[in-house]
Amino acid sequence: KAGVTQTPRYLIKTRGQQVTLSCSPISGHRSVSWYQQTPGQGLQFLFEYFSETQRNKGNFPGRFSGRQFSNSRSEMNVSTLELGDSALYLCASKRGPNTEAFFGQGTRLTVV
Amino acid sequence: GENVEQHPSTLSVQEGDSAVIKCTYSDSASNYFPWYKQELGKGPQLIIDIRSNVGEKKDQRIAVTLNKTAKHFSLHITETQPEDSAVYFCAASKGQGGGSYIPTFGRGTSLIVHP
């Protein structure tokens, strides 16, 4: 059974640019959540999607957005990148809202 | 909102020893407490979880205890092995919109098991 797949694994962007990260959940999983991991702030929840609808949102500025497609794949977008957006972005999929979360390996974003 | 404190930040043990990681939480409504292991270059992996209606749960060498009154929970690893070396995260959560459980994570404990 394939795990959660995140692409790309590594990304380098310049301040002011925008970036789109992709997450393919485990087959049959309909819930996808996104997290930001940094040494300073740790693991922080960004948002969660279930059946193409955003169910919950963390305390991040509007530059961070996401969406989920009908096949449960999800993308997150960060616009007007700042140096502080450099982080490991993790995606987690769940079969349903109240079930175990499985994390992908993450996308390492570096903003220069 | 929820606040989770995790201690220690670093834990160094000899192979075969036990390791204990402790977490406290602030929101008495939290009722689901997962523990994750993150190895270098990988995403967090759920290793054990406990719900608030249970005081203790074991899975082979790993156990978790929960004290709801004191709002703290702990991870116990017995007979540690070098492959247990990783960063461990505790988390606390409760039902949110749509019945989802959104975890608030501790800052992590780097466990080093020396052969």
Side-chain angles (χ1 to χ4, degrees):
Chain A
K1 187 176 183 181
V4 179
T5 303
Q6 291 188 245
T7 56
R9 288 292 311 278
Y10 302 93
L11 206 49
I12 299 176
K13 288 286 187 179
T14 304
R15 266 185 308 175
Q17 287 186 313
Q18 67 95 25
V19 66
T20 300
L21 312 181
S22 179
C23 172
S24 292
I26 293 171
S27 178
H29 286 198
R30 297 168 62 193
S31 169
V32 173
S33 300
W34 288 90
Y35 295 83
Q36 182 194 66
Q37 186 175 28
T38 61
Q41 299 298 319
L43 267 161
Q44 293 187 289
F45 170 73
L46 280 157
F47 27 66
E48 179 194 29
Y49 288 87
F50 181 75
S51 296
E52 302 178 66
T53 303
Q54 187 179 89
R55 289 295 184 95
N56 292 285
K57 189 176 189 304
N59 189 25
F60 278 82
R63 299 186 297 108
F64 292 81
S65 63
R67 59 178 176 169
Q68 186 180 34
F69 302 95
S70 58
N71 61 358
S72 294
R73 190 177 70 84
S74 177
E75 290 181 347
M76 67 162 281
N77 184 77
V78 188
S79 62
T80 319
L81 284 166
E82 300 176 359
L83 295 178
D85 296 333
S86 294
L88 180 67
Y89 289 88
L90 291 160
C91 166
S93 82
K94 299 189 289 187
R95 184 172 298 279
N98 188 19
T99 57
E100 176 183 349
F102 294 85
F103 282 85
Q105 290 187 290
T107 293
R108 173 74 62 186
L109 171 65
T110 302
V111 182
V112 297
Chain B
E2 175 68 276
N3 182 49
V4 177
E5 299 283 341
Q6 182 172 348
H7 299 280
S9 57
T10 304
L11 181 58
S12 184
V13 300
Q14 289 295 128
E15 183 178 0
D17 287 350
S18 295
V20 180
I21 302 171
K22 298 181 179 182
C23 290
T24 60
Y25 61 99
S26 61
D27 189 345
S28 56
S30 288
N31 54 10
Y32 176 61
F33 307 90
W35 285 88
Y36 291 88
K37 175 184 180 182
Q38 187 173 24
E39 297 174 318
L40 200 60
K42 297 184 178 181
Q45 177 188 9
L46 180 72
I47 55 172
I48 195 167
D49 57 10
I50 192 168
R51 296 190 184 270
S52 59
N53 58 347
V54 176
E56 183 177 2
K57 184 176 179 180
K58 288 184 180 180
D59 183 2
Q60 299 182 346
R61 297 186 296 109
I62 294 173
V64 58
T65 58
L66 171 65
N67 184 327
K68 283 181 60 180
T69 303
K71 289 190 282 189
H72 67 70
F73 55 114
S74 301
L75 178 72
H76 304 253
I77 305 174
T78 58
E79 300 172 25
T80 54
Q81 301 166 5
E83 49 266 40
D84 293 331
S85 296
V87 179
Y88 291 80
F89 293 94
C90 63
S93 61
K94 63 182 179 182
Q96 303 284 349
S100 295
Y101 281 75
I102 307 300
T104 298
F105 289 89
R107 298 303 298 271
T109 295
S110 178
L111 173 64
I112 304 165
V113 180
H114 299 279

